[in-house]
Amino acid sequence: DAKTTQPPSMDCAEGRAANLPCNHSTISGNEYVYWYRQIHSQGPQYIIHGLKNNETNEMASLIITEDRKSSTLILPHATLRDTAVYYCIVRALSAGGYQKVTFGTGTKLQVIP
Amino acid sequence: NAGVTQTPKFQVLKTGQSMTLQCAQDMNHEYMSWYRQDPGMGLRLIHYSVGAGITDQGEVPNGYNVSRSTTEDFPLRLLSAAPSQTSVYFCASSDIGGDYGYTFGSGTRLTVV
């Protein structure tokens, strides 16, 4: 599985867009990019995932570069409740296949009032 | 749906004791995994399973055993607890398709004294 690199911390003003980068330069063609967040000591929560096209859901948008070596998670209007650690992982999807996935240390996003 | 249920939520063990952390999911997910999270660190994969009867080691398997006799349950056994195993343990499950990412349990906070 490809490894990812994220900045250890970021700040964002409340109401502004939070843009969280992730580098995954060794990503394989069949690996998806997934984003999760962990609020305080809760279990991580799935946010969004994508293969090569940009994706949007009710929580966030995911922008993947054309070469797929990096991506950005966008929280369009950050609130104090978005303060959390955000994890970017890459994962291949195959029925019955290899599913060893590791999480790094993520980016600690602090939303500032 | 209950999702992923972990029991107990808190546990204190003495060095050398054994115990089993329980994990159950009701989503018919093929894939289940155990992670540990130490203060200030990300999630490290202990063991995982791609289906009943199939398990494999993750990054930090030493001192832990798993089995997967049913699709629903994936218990984690500590054979002889050590203070280094003091951590928060998370169980996660996913369908092979991965459309909704991993669903995590709320965690078990284990202290070994």
Side-chain angles (χ1 to χ4, degrees):
Chain A
D1 287 338
K3 292 189 175 180
T4 62
T5 304
Q6 299 177 253
S9 64
M10 294 181 63
D11 291 338
C12 178
E14 188 178 17
R16 304 298 292 270
N19 297 281
L20 291 91
C22 180
N23 286 323
H24 30 79
S25 58
T26 59
I27 192 170
S28 300
N30 65 339
E31 288 181 317
Y32 287 70
V33 179
Y34 279 78
W35 282 83
Y36 293 80
R37 72 180 183 184
Q38 186 175 26
I39 297 174
H40 195 44
S41 56
Q42 299 175 18
Q45 174 191 22
Y46 164 81
I47 301 173
I48 197 168
H49 75 285
L51 183 62
K52 55 183 178 181
N53 296 321
N54 298 338
E55 302 287 345
T56 296
N57 63 20
E58 65 278 4
M59 292 181 68
S61 294
L62 173 61
I63 309 297
I64 303 173
T65 58
E66 191 170 347
D67 63 9
R68 302 207 326 121
K69 293 185 177 181
S70 65
S71 61
T72 301
L73 178 74
I74 301 173
L75 308 178
H77 305 287
T79 71
L80 298 178
R81 287 176 294 181
D82 292 322
T83 292
V85 177
Y86 288 77
Y87 297 97
C88 166
I89 68 167
V90 292
R91 175 189 175 192
L93 300 180
S94 58
Y98 191 65
Q99 293 280 333
K100 186 173 182 177
V101 176
T102 58
F103 287 71
T105 53
T107 297
K108 182 174 176 58
L109 176 68
Q110 182 72 49
V111 179
I112 302 169
Chain B
N1 285 344
V4 177
T5 301
Q6 288 185 239
T7 57
K9 293 189 182 304
F10 301 93
Q11 183 71 49
V12 178
L13 286 179
K14 294 182 179 180
T15 297
Q17 287 185 316
S18 63
M19 79 159 294
T20 299
L21 279 62
Q22 301 291 344
C23 176
Q25 53 92 8
D26 61 358
M27 298 170 284
N28 202 33
H29 284 170
E30 299 93 339
Y31 181 71
M32 297 185 74
S33 56
W34 277 102
Y35 292 87
R36 61 176 288 174
Q37 185 172 37
D38 300 308
M41 297 185 68
L43 296 151
R44 292 186 291 171
L45 181 66
I46 304 172
H47 285 286
Y48 67 101
S49 169
V50 298
I54 306 169
T55 64
D56 205 348
Q57 297 180 350
E59 300 172 88
V60 289
N62 292 339
Y64 307 94
N65 273 357
V66 292
S67 60
R68 185 95 180 270
S69 57
T70 66
T71 299
E72 294 78 18
D73 300 299
F74 191 44
L76 179 71
R77 298 183 186 84
L78 279 70
L79 308 174
S80 178
S84 61
Q85 293 178 303
T86 293
S87 189
V88 180
Y89 292 84
F90 289 102
C91 178
S93 74
S94 167
D95 63 3
I96 293 295
D99 285 343
Y100 300 101
Y102 293 106
T103 300
F104 281 83
S106 57
T108 294
R109 188 175 297 274
L110 176 69
T111 302
V112 183
V113 298

